[in-house]
Amino acid sequence: MTDPARSIRIGTMISASGGEAADRIAEIADLGFESFEPFFWQTTNGQDLAELGKRCREAIGDRDITISTLGMFGNPLEDQPLDRDTLQGWKDCIDNAHHFGATCVAGFTGRVRGKPLTDSLPRYREVWSELAKRAADRGVRIAFENCAMEGNWQTGDWNIAHNPDAWELIFNETPDENIGLEWEPCHQLVYLIDPLPQIRKWAPKIFHVHGKDATVRWEVIREHGIFGKEPFVWMRTPGFGDSNWTDIISELRLAGYEGAIDIEGWHDPVYRDALEMTGQIHALEHLKRCRGGSFVDIAAQYGGGDPSLA
């Protein structure tokens, strides 16, 4: 019997740039993850994505694990060699998503470097109108991560989809139904934005969710402000930050979201390096508890229980 709780799956991101994605999936596939998001940083390095998709699915085997989204992160609006690689990577991911079983490709919009956000809109419209059509023709949706990459409204290097005011602008430039967001509460907390009302407003445009959180250090803000030498916010792995993931998942369910929450690690100031997977497994178990699930699932996770009571 299918567990309705799994209409929202809990998974993790898998680096794919160096050709290691399938091996990494095979290595951690039995740890309890329900989905994976293979992702590329700036370039696919010329990999045969059809073959990579095949190997990733073979690594999953008959396990109940999905790949709903691929990641392609870089700046496809500019014209340096790696920027051109990123743009080609988007095309290749869109064209080959079905080989992974994916229906969504996510990443940054790109940005005209060093310029105010609105200066990027003409180039954004030029690039993404074409990519949106390419994706729609293949049944693929495009999702922009809401990450500032240390940029702001005045300047930046990577992404303009980091602020709700910018979302209004970009969705006006590209009103395509298959362009939306790869959303996470972390980047909103970094902006001191309450994530929950944002879900209620923007839910129809949330195509994929990253499992990443933040801790706002209010004592630092009160003493040093947000531009002092002390960091006023830490990016955290879910379960260690400020977000109430039970409420977040409830709001996503109320809005009809079905898909994955894929954990984005590698940012936590404590659970990183040798403790990276310790943090990720904690996040996996935390998000599953917040999501809920069948008694059988929970019993299996903790090694006990009578399935007849489910």
Side-chain angles (χ1 to χ4, degrees):
M1 182 177 180
T2 302
D3 181 3
R6 288 200 183 201
S7 63
I8 295 180
R9 290 173 171 265
I10 311 301
T12 191
M13 298 178 71
I14 298 287
S15 177
S17 296
E20 70 277 27
D23 291 341
R24 182 59 173 160
I25 286 173
E27 183 181 351
I28 67 172
D30 291 321
L31 296 182
F33 295 107
E34 301 164 347
S35 69
F36 293 118
E37 179 190 356
F39 73 95
F40 304 92
W41 181 254
Q42 293 189 278
T43 178
T44 65
N45 285 310
Q47 294 179 76
D48 181 338
L49 296 195
E51 176 62 22
L52 178 61
K54 177 175 179 287
R55 289 193 288 113
C56 286
R57 294 179 77 169
E58 287 174 349
I60 290 171
D62 60 0
R63 300 176 182 91
D64 184 17
I65 298 173
T66 61
I67 297 175
S68 68
T69 300
L70 303 180
M72 184 68 240
F73 295 92
N75 185 347
L77 302 193
E78 286 276 24
D79 198 36
Q80 296 300 310
L82 277 175
D83 304 327
R84 293 194 293 271
D85 284 355
T86 297
L87 180 56
Q88 185 60 50
W90 270 97
K91 295 175 182 177
D92 293 342
C93 284
I94 288 168
D95 292 349
N96 290 282
H98 64 284
H99 291 294
F100 295 81
T103 57
C104 183
V105 181
F108 303 145
T109 58
R111 182 166 183 158
V112 176
R113 292 189 175 99
K115 300 291 185 180
L117 186 148
T118 51
D119 286 11
S120 294
L121 292 175
R123 177 62 176 157
Y124 165 85
R125 181 174 60 251
E126 176 187 358
V127 169
W128 290 104
S129 294
E130 177 185 335
L131 289 177
K133 183 180 185 307
R134 187 188 196 106
D137 289 345
R138 292 158 177 80
V140 171
R141 299 197 294 181
I142 290 169
F144 298 133
E145 186 180 354
N146 57 327
C147 176
M149 290 293 288
E150 300 186 359
N152 54 42
W153 201 269
Q154 289 73 35
T155 189
D157 292 334
W158 298 95
N159 191 24
I160 61 172
H162 56 76
N163 181 281
D165 295 326
W167 302 343
E168 300 275 4
L169 295 174
I170 64 175
F171 295 142
N172 183 62
E173 295 290 334
T174 52
D176 309 76
E177 291 184 359
N178 66 326
I179 287 188
L181 298 170
E182 181 175 65
W183 183 88
E184 64 183 64
C186 170
H187 299 307
Q188 304 319 291
L189 289 170
V190 168
Y191 269 5
L192 306 181
I193 294 174
D194 184 347
L196 291 177
Q198 197 170 82
I199 297 175
R200 297 174 195 129
K201 179 174 181 178
W202 291 97
K205 283 292 192 181
I206 297 176
F207 293 169
H208 186 244
V209 177
H210 270 170
K212 192 167 75 173
D213 206 343
T215 297
V216 178
R217 305 174 70 203
W218 290 105
E219 74 285 359
V220 172
I221 293 173
R222 284 189 286 269
E223 183 174 354
H224 302 280
I226 63 173
F227 298 116
K229 66 177 183 177
E230 296 292 330
F232 75 93
V233 63
W234 286 328
M235 295 185 183
R236 303 302 309 268
T237 305
F240 300 109
D242 291 347
S243 294
N244 184 326
W245 283 93
T246 300
D247 286 350
I248 287 171
I249 293 172
S250 293
E251 290 291 343
L252 289 169
R253 286 198 191 282
L254 286 169
Y257 177 79
E258 294 186 357
I261 300 175
D262 287 320
I263 295 163
E264 180 184 349
W266 314 291
H267 294 281
D268 196 286
V270 179
Y271 291 92
R272 65 192 310 161
D273 300 326
L275 291 175
E276 175 64 39
M277 288 311 296
T278 299
Q280 288 212 27
I281 295 301
H282 174 84
L284 173 67
E285 294 175 352
H286 177 73
L287 292 173
K288 283 183 175 180
R289 284 193 297 270
C290 293
R291 176 199 65 185
S294 72
F295 180 86
V296 175
D297 263 359
I298 295 170
Q301 184 179 342
Y302 291 99
D306 181 356
S308 68
L309 300 176

